[in-house]
């Protein structure tokens, strides 16, 4: 085994690798960019080396700087994690040339499987099932269009060098092919430096099922069963589970046999994942799946495989890279129960999954299930990289038990400061279609209405927020006194009452509060939230209070499962966390009123990024909803549209320019204002 390891990555996966390396007694070396100077993985490693500015191209993609650090600090091996340099054959070769072990497959296997067209050809050669498509070298748009007509619509355009759902477009009809091709190529060039694409028949109601494979340097190769990763948004996985719902022994035998054929064809070693698309219109069939691609690295979702097998795949990676034989033979690898992983990401489902960044607040994880994270409360979540905050992994005797544990965790998880999809995932766990195992890649779109964020203006939520604010106001009392016992606006034997003002979506709200000897109530819109005093527990300090509203009194009032809502009150407003979802209620500005809050004609950048495309020119007439700007940020493209009909008065951007959050990009005027 090695004595020292450099982790050429950041965030959750860097912390994950450090955890296993520390258990094995390895000295760990972290690398970081300026955006990650104070990051958790930097704090946890034995040594840390600065690479450069925040941009990945100047830091985490600088293989030369990473190798220099490894040599100078005596690292015997480099673990690339996932993303960045993990599937870069040239980097793997550079490691070997420097006498440093690359914790991953051989460079030739990375090359063979790294390009989707080459991988498809290998799958065909070994007799693995492959969808009809086009993956030849000729990339002329005319040829591509002709091949698309042969395949038929709907179809997929996929980046040859793609991964992580990038560079993929669904084309429903022939007329849309040209614009989809242009968009896929643009994204592929930006993400991978390679704009080549391939075409593939689209499977209706598809399921994404993958097989974890593992090989060593002595020719041994095993599979570690399958995972289902069908719950996706914009082809980004959100839920992964093992085993796949509805899997039969016959289908598993066919699936794993195909995966091993493909891995064996490239003499694969270390961790890899062979991905398939399956027909989800009915039960899984031995002839109802087709090869998609192979990821020549550790997957984000590897913890569910670890959970059902009781293994540490990072340890396996390190042992194989050190030249050891695989720890187990195929007959010793046994499934135990079921596991489900949820990816908590810094995105706002209520605003089209707009990425979020900022300082993470809330409460620490309660430790009831496994949570892999690269962040802690108080850390800054940067906008320079992907949006993954943490992964919640629940294991149970069967899928129902694992799902129940995951749901309970998500509903009790308290994250504020940044916006996440935690509450969205908690609601997903309750969907009958998902709970019954009816998974497919379009499920989130089909169930969009059921997954929508509950109303922020519900009387109960507004009332709880107002009660939290008033509790915080009254907390400047002697130790041991009740926050409702001082004589200001609260009266036990009189009708006196107080009010709390909030704003929501530019609307001013006033919530009235009342108290008696037993309870506190807050009213809005003719309805009230009522909370017994004994169930309110407050902690913190002025301008920064945490208030828990419990469901029962007594010693267990603060125990998991008894908290109905958590409130965070600061100088700017209140945040209510209920069943894992967060509602923010800011206080109104000094001059705010319903009449003074007007819509703006300025189109601003919702987050930092690069202008990928600009469709706007001064003097141009536009209609509401028309796409004017395509902004590339946090590995996704975001379409910015006209807020209403009008005329473009000014544009302040051009393609390729970097912009900051809230930068004004376009200014509109009413058409009648133009002479």
């Amino acid at each position: 085994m090695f004595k020292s390891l450099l982790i050429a990555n950041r965030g959750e996966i860097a912390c994950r690798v450090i955890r296993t390396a520390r258990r094995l007694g390895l000295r760990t070396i972290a690398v970081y960019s300026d955006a990650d100077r104070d990051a958790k993985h930097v704090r946890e490693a034995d040594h840390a080396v600065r690479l450069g500015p925040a941009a990945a191209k100047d830091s985490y993609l600088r293989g030369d700087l990473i190798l220099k650090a490894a040599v100078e600090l005596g690292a015997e091996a480099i673990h690339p994690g996932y993303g960045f340099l993990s599937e870069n054959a040239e980097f793997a070769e550079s490691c070997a040339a420097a006498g440093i072990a690359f914790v991953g497959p051989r460079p030739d296997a990375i090359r063979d499987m790294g390009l989707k067209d080459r991988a498809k050809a290998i799958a065909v050669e070994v007799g693995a099932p492959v969808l009809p498509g086009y993956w030849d070298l000729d990339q002329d748009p005319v040829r591509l269009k002709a091949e698309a007509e042969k395949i038929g619509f709907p179809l997929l355009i996929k980046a040859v060098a793609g991964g992580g759902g990038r560079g993929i477009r669904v084309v429903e009809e022939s007329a849309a092919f040209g614009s989809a091709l242009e968009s896929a190529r643009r994204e592929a060039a930006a993400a991978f430096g390679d704009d080549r694409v391939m075409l593939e028949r689209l499977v209706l109601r598809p399921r994404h099922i993958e097989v974890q494979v593992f090989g060593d340097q002595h020719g041994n190769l095993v599979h570690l069963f399958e995972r289902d990763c069908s719950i996706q948004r914009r082809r980004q996985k959100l839920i992964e589970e093992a085993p796949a719902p509805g899997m039969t022994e016959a289908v598993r035998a066919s699936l794993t046999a195909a995966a091993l054929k493909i891995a064996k064809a490239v003499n694969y070693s270390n961790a890899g994942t062979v991905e398939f698309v399956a027909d989800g219109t009915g039960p899984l069939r031995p002839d109802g799946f087709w090869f998609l691609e192979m990821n020549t690295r550790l997957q984000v979702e590897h913890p569910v495989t670890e959970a059902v097998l009781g293994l540490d795949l990072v340890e396996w990676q390190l042992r194989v890279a050190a030249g050891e034989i695989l720890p187990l033979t195929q007959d010793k690898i046994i499934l135990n129960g079921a596991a489900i992983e949820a990816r908590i990401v810094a995105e706002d489902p209520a605003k089209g999954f707009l990425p979020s960044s900022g300082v993470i607040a809330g409460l620490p994880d309660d430790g009831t299930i496994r949570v892999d994270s690269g962040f802690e409360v108080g850390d800054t979540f940067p906008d320079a990289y992907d949006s993954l905050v943490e992964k919640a992994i629940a294991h149970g005797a069967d899928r129902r038990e694992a799902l129940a544990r995951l749901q309970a965790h998500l509903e009790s998880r308290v994250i504020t400061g940044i916006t996440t999809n935690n509450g969205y995932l908690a609601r997903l766990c309750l969907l009958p279609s998902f709970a019954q195992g009816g998974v497919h890649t379009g499920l989130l779109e089909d169930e969009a209405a059921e997954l929508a964020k509950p109303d922020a203006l519900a009387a109960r939520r507004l009332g709880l927020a107002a009660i939290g604010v008033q509790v915080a106001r009254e907390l400047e009392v002697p130790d041991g006194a009740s926050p409702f016992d001082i004589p200001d606006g609260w009266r036990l034997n009189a009708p006196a009452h107080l009010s709390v003002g909030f704003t929501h979506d530019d609307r001013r709200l006033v919530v009235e509060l009342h108290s008696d000897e037993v309870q506190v109530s807050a009213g809005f819109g003719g309805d009230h939230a009522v909370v017994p005093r004994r169930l309110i527990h407050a902690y913190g300090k002025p301008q920064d209070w945490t208030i828990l509203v419990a469901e029962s009194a007594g010693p267990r009032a603060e125990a998991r499962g008894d908290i109905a809502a958590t409130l965070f009150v600061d100088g700017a407003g209140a945040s209510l966390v209920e069943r894992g979802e967060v509602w923010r209620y800011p206080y109104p500005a000094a001059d705010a009123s319903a009449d003074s809050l007007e819509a703006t004609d300025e189109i601003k950048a919702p987050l930092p990024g690069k202008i990928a495309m600009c469709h706007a020119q001064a003097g141009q007439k536009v209609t509401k909803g028309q796409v004017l700007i395509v902004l590339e940020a946090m590995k996704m493209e975001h379409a910015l549209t006209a807020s209403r009909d009008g005329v473009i008065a000014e544009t302040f951007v051009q393609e390729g320019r970097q912009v900051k959050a809230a930068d004004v990009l376009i200014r509109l005027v009413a058409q009648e204002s133009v002479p």
Side-chain angles (χ1 to χ4, degrees), residues 67 85 87-96 107 110-111:
L67 276 172
L85 297 171
E87 296 179 280
N88 187 306
E90 289 73 23
F91 180 67
E93 288 173 336
S94 296
C95 291
I110 296 176
R111 287 195 175 93

Side-chain angles (χ1 to χ4, degrees), residues 164-371:
R166 305 206 70 192
I168 298 178
R169 297 294 183 273
V170 176
V171 188
E172 300 284 354
E173 57 185 4
S174 178
F177 183 82
S179 60
L181 176 63
E182 179 184 350
S183 178
R185 278 183 156 169
R186 183 174 63 250
E187 185 172 80
F192 315 113
D194 185 345
D195 72 350
R196 290 177 298 153
V197 300
M198 55 181 283
L199 310 178
E200 186 176 85
R201 181 201 292 168
L202 179 66
V203 177
L204 298 177
R205 198 178 170 85
R207 289 181 60 176
H208 183 122
I209 302 177
E210 59 191 32
V211 177
Q212 177 76 64
V213 297
F214 228 109
D216 62 24
Q217 299 174 29
H218 307 279
N220 300 304
L221 184 67
V222 298
H223 72 79
L224 303 180
F225 296 94
E226 82 283 348
R227 296 184 290 256
D228 189 294
C229 306
S230 299
I231 303 301
Q232 303 177 9
R233 189 194 69 79
R234 293 179 62 177
R235 306 195 179 277
Q236 295 287 326
K237 302 169 186 175
L238 286 182
I239 297 284
E240 300 101 353
E241 53 184 306
M247 180 59 64
T248 67
E249 289 303 323
V251 175
R252 178 176 289 136
S254 296
L255 190 74
T256 54
L260 290 173
K261 282 181 183 179
I262 294 168
K264 186 176 181 179
V266 294
N267 194 24
Y268 198 82
S269 64
N270 220 280
T273 300
V274 185
E275 302 193 347
F276 298 90
V277 60
D279 180 358
T281 57
L284 293 172
R285 311 186 315 273
D287 63 347
F289 62 87
W290 301 270
F291 172 68
L292 277 179
E293 62 183 346
M294 183 175 187
N295 287 314
T296 55
R297 54 172 168 79
L298 193 68
Q299 292 280 86
V300 178
E301 56 270 24
H302 76 274
V304 294
T305 295
E306 293 182 322
V308 296
L309 299 181
L311 303 175
D312 183 332
L313 297 195
V314 174
E315 179 180 348
W316 276 41
Q317 283 192 293
L318 293 171
R319 293 194 180 282
V320 165
E324 297 183 23
I325 295 175
L326 285 177
L328 294 175
T329 55
Q330 190 69 69
D331 61 322
K332 300 296 183 182
I333 302 170
I334 308 298
L335 273 173
N336 175 28
I340 306 179
E341 172 181 290
R343 298 192 193 186
I344 290 81
V345 296
E347 298 177 4
D348 187 351
K351 295 183 178 178
F353 294 89
L354 191 69
S356 174
S357 60
V359 177
I360 299 174
L363 299 176
D365 163 49
D366 62 12
T368 55
I369 66 171
R370 173 177 171 178
V371 174

Side-chain angles (χ1 to χ4, degrees), residues 55-70:
K57 65 180 179 61
D58 299 320
S59 53
Y60 296 108
L61 291 174
R62 286 290 301 272
D64 57 333
L65 297 180
I66 291 170
L67 276 172
K68 179 182 177 183

Side-chain angles (χ1 to χ4, degrees), residues 48-120:
V49 179
R50 176 186 179 272
L51 294 176
K57 65 180 179 61
D58 299 320
S59 53
Y60 296 108
L61 291 174
R62 286 290 301 272
D64 57 333
L65 297 180
I66 291 170
L67 276 172
K68 179 182 177 183
V71 171
E72 290 179 351
L73 291 174
E76 296 177 347
I78 292 178
H79 195 302
Y82 49 71
F84 295 134
L85 297 171
S86 63
E87 296 179 280
N88 187 306
E90 289 73 23
F91 180 67
E93 288 173 336
S94 296
C95 291
I100 298 172
F102 177 79
V103 184
R106 285 178 285 270
D108 56 344
I110 296 176
R111 287 195 175 93
D112 284 339
M113 291 290 108
L115 296 177
K116 288 184 173 65
D117 54 351
R118 172 63 180 149
K120 292 275 189 182

Side-chain angles (χ1 to χ4, degrees), residues 613-616 620 622-623 625-630 638-642:
M613 184 170 290
C614 179
H615 298 290
Q620 176 183 344
V622 298
T623 57
Q626 181 178 337
V627 176
L628 303 180
I629 295 283
V630 177
H638 305 271
L640 307 184
T641 62

